[in-house]
């Protein structure tokens, strides 16, 4: 049984590699799961959605923080 299962897994891996790239699929699945998990946490704990913006941008009154953020993102594109 163990030998048969190992053969099936090896054959599935071989077929996946031949049809499309596996690494982008794994990355997409990981990002999708992370997004779903964050959405679930936000729905389960509503205070979480209030804490995160304050933690990322502690000073909403300082326009220089916003300007430097936008200037940096425009330089990368």
């Amino acid at each position: 049984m163990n030998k048969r299962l190992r053969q099936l897994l090896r054959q599935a891996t071989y077929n996946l590699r031949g049809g499309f790239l596996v690494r982008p699929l794994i990355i997409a699945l990981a990002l999708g799961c992370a997004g779903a998990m964050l959405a679930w946490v936000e729905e389960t704990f509503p205070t979480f959605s209030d804490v995160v913006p304050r933690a990322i941008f502690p000073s909403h009154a300082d326009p220089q923080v916003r300007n430097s953020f936008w200037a940096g993102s425009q330089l990368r594109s």
Side-chain angles (χ1 to χ4, degrees), residues 4-72:
R4 176 77 176 144
L5 180 63
R6 192 178 349 210
Q7 183 183 7
L8 283 173
L9 288 174
R10 188 174 290 166
Q11 183 178 5
T13 306
Y14 179 77
N15 288 336
L16 282 174
R17 287 184 186 162
F20 53 90
L21 297 175
V22 176
R23 188 178 298 160
L25 173 68
I26 292 171
I27 292 170
L29 288 175
L31 289 174
C33 289
M37 190 66 112
L38 285 174
W40 174 78
V41 167
E42 189 176 13
E43 283 185 22
T44 306
F45 307 105
T47 57
F48 183 73
S49 61
D50 294 336
V51 172
V52 172
R54 281 190 232 134
I56 295 174
F57 303 108
S59 175
H60 291 288
D62 186 10
Q64 188 62 35
V65 173
R66 184 188 66 222
N67 289 343
S68 64
F69 174 75
W70 286 111

